[in-house]
Amino acid sequence: MMETNLLYSLLILFLPLVSFVYQIFFGKILGRNTHFVSIGLIATIFYLSVTFLLQSIDKGYGTILDVSAIWFSSTDFSVSLGILVDNITSIMLCVVSFISLLVHVYSTEYMKDDPRYSRYFGFLGIFTFSMNGIVLADSLIMMYVFWELVGLSSYLLIGFWFEKDSAANACKKAFLTNRVGDIGMFIGMMILFFSVGTFNINELIYGTKSMNVELLTVAGLLVFMGAIGKSAQFPLHIWLPDAMEGPTPVSALIHAATMVAAGVYMTFRIFPFLTPDALAVIAVIGAITAFCAAIMAVTRNDIKAVLAYSTISQLGYMTMALGVGAHLYAFFHLVTHAMFKACLFLCSGSVIHAMHHSLHHLHDHDTDPQDMRNMGGLKNKMPITHIAMLVSTLAIAGVPFFSGFLSKDGILAGTLSYYQTHLGWTIILPFAGFGAAMITAFYMFRLIFMTFYGKPNNLDINKHVHESPFLMTIPLILLSFLSTAFAFTLNFNPLLSKGWFKTLVGKSKHNFLDMSLIKEGIYQAHDQAMFLSLLVAGLGIATSIVFYYFKKVDVDRIAKIVNILGFYNLSKNKFYIDRIYNALLYRPFMYLTKIFTWIDWDVYDRIFINGWSWITLTLSKITGYADYNWLDQKIIDGTGHLSNFVSKKLKSTQSGVIQNYLLSGTIGLIIVFIIFQNL
């Protein structure tokens, strides 16, 4: 059985890589049918993932597969890479492979006219490979390798339409912003490794019990920095809205269901050894992210931008839940969010696709197909898309009988319980949680009403809009069903003590916290939290109905009133965070770059390098002149001339008469004798 499970896990890991290699090098062989290869491979992965899930359900809580091999070793330590498949892994594998499969099917229609069709499916393959690597990793070091590969593959997908400056800038922004978090994550990993002696996550859980608590807090927060970047948490959330420049199916895959959830998944894995202080910081970051992102979403008019900020807000919910100890609810919300958010993104893609075709028919290249102000009245034109988006909106708003209600209920109860236990400043957590819930219900129904209801804002555009093809609507139907509570209530409440999800995920454990007390606190706060969550959701929906369905209120006037204190502009300008980064980081960096460039070109190159070359050239000319005119002409040539002259004179003395030679010799001897006599 172990050999079979190992084979299955290797197939799950490497089949997407096979898809990537095939599409990149041989994708054009099948032409427009090349997607069959990728879909077949991803479908196989999904089947194998379901097999693991069924094993988990049959076996109960436990480990299905845990194998590792030494990567490298030295005299002092060794580093291993391995695969861990447990119940949590099997759930996450099903989520990733299922969403990936639906995105592949959806993309066959959405991307069919793209000239880089095979390359697109290849990039989806390398991304799925990377994400599966994160899920299957048994150690932080292996997770980090695939973590970086996810960053690379998301860079390729976000910038897929790289001929657009906005897409090229977006992928660079996403890549660089994530690197900031990844640096912190790497440093934290190194602290843990040199303190405990291993990267293995299960071994770290037990090994960190003996670590210095302050050092462990620092290490935990540094590792969490990776999640701040990858899961778009404050203050590294700025990349995600810009990442919507990629194809809409990409947004559904990497920015709604999988990539951004990787940070939450990683934090869930290391949750048992995060200290209370670290968890408090994580909770605050999650609360700020959830509330502020919800406020930013209110003033967006781009349909994908609304969903982007919604994603950031929901990820903040998950992070906040982890921070207050409600990690089980955080993981459950990760699963439910993957379904309804993927549905929302694919529905938005369906709307954009229909708008594109209508504008193309009208030869209109100026109207923005993603601006909700150009939509309206699409309910009857796109009934399947409308129903699917309405269902997923009800889910994210936390309405009863939908999946979001099940997961949000526990998160909000966790924040309320945390405040009741700690009091003081912790009141910001339930305030942010319930406040974000109300705002979410408001802006999501604003999206629904502006897109599908009322009179069309442009009759010509509306006339040519039609429902998306079958291969695009099938994923919407499946995901909308999985956005209902019924899909998760196999035994009524999945999060009860005997609920299937809680049974599958297992008992809660933590090195520093008494999880039984946290569980009891959440249970005690449950009824109050449920009442408040229903109240705020109802208020948000009711306000949206008054503002955007019945249109009884002048929204522009309300915006002006709200802006008296600057709140509207604060939301519209995304809390000026991008401008702050530009002012404090980008512009100073560019200014320093210009200074260093000036030093390099004008000082170092022009003065030092060019100056030294001038000196060298001048000295070369002087030495050349001296060499030619003095050494060569005067000394060398002069010596030659003198030698020639002397030789000629000496030659003249050679007459060939022996008497002359005797006379010369005699005179020479006389001269030598006289010289010696004087000495």
Side-chain angles (χ1 to χ4, degrees), residues 453-649:
Y453 289 83
K455 295 180 180 179
N457 292 314
N458 191 309
L459 291 173
D460 291 331
I461 296 175
N462 185 268
K463 188 185 299 182
H464 300 286
V465 169
H466 55 81
E467 185 61 270
S468 296
F470 177 75
L471 290 175
M472 290 178 65
T473 55
I474 282 294
L476 305 186
I477 295 170
L478 291 173
L479 289 168
S480 60
F481 170 74
L482 292 172
S483 299
T484 63
F486 176 77
F488 295 91
T489 51
L490 301 177
N491 53 357
F492 186 64
N493 192 330
L495 295 171
L496 291 176
S497 58
K498 296 183 178 180
W500 70 268
F501 190 85
K502 192 163 186 179
T503 302
L504 200 58
V505 175
K507 296 181 180 180
S508 302
K509 57 182 179 179
H510 197 277
N511 290 352
F512 303 97
L513 301 176
D514 188 341
M515 296 307 298
S516 61
L517 291 178
I518 294 176
K519 177 184 174 182
E520 181 63 25
I522 293 174
Y523 178 78
Q524 295 293 335
H526 177 264
D527 290 340
Q528 188 179 358
M530 182 183 293
F531 171 76
L532 290 173
S533 66
L534 291 174
L535 177 63
V536 296
L539 285 173
I541 296 171
T543 305
S544 187
I545 290 172
V546 173
F547 280 28
Y548 295 99
Y549 184 76
F550 292 114
K551 298 183 179 179
K552 298 295 185 181
V553 178
D554 188 344
V555 178
D556 293 331
R557 186 177 179 183
I558 293 293
K560 291 179 181 179
I561 295 172
V562 171
N563 200 44
I564 293 175
L565 298 175
F567 291 139
Y568 182 83
N569 283 339
L570 197 65
S571 172
K572 188 70 174 177
N573 291 285
K574 300 174 286 188
F575 284 77
Y576 300 98
I577 294 174
D578 282 278
R579 295 187 184 183
I580 292 171
Y581 282 155
N582 284 338
L584 298 181
L585 296 175
Y586 178 75
R587 290 177 185 172
F589 180 79
M590 293 303 296
Y591 182 73
L592 287 174
T593 302
K594 290 180 180 179
I595 292 175
F596 287 128
T597 301
W598 176 80
I599 293 173
D600 182 45
W601 284 94
D602 295 333
V603 178
Y604 184 75
D605 281 355
R606 186 172 297 177
I607 297 176
F608 183 76
I609 301 299
N610 294 346
W612 184 254
S613 64
W614 179 84
I615 293 172
T616 304
L617 182 62
T618 303
L619 290 174
S620 300
K621 290 180 178 179
I622 294 171
T623 55
Y625 177 83
D627 178 64
Y628 181 77
N629 289 280
W630 290 96
L631 185 63
D632 284 352
Q633 297 292 320
K634 304 293 185 185
I635 299 176
I636 304 298
D637 292 353
T639 304
H641 292 312
L642 179 62
S643 299
N644 187 46
F645 174 79
V646 172
S647 63
K648 286 180 178 180
K649 294 298 182 182

Side-chain angles (χ1 to χ4, degrees), residues 8-23:
Y8 285 179
S9 64
L10 292 175
L11 288 173
I12 290 173
L13 179 60
F14 288 107
L15 282 181
L17 184 62
V18 173
S19 173
F20 167 74
V21 173
Y22 171 81
Q23 295 294 354

Side-chain angles (χ1 to χ4, degrees), residues 1-8 65:
M1 188 66 179
M2 179 179 175
E3 290 79 7
T4 302
N5 287 336
L6 178 60
L7 176 62
Y8 285 179
L65 178 69

Side-chain angles (χ1 to χ4, degrees), residues 267 326 333 349 365 401 431 456 513 526 589:
T267 309
H333 194 58
H365 304 291
F401 307 111
F431 177 84
L513 301 176
H526 177 264
F589 180 79

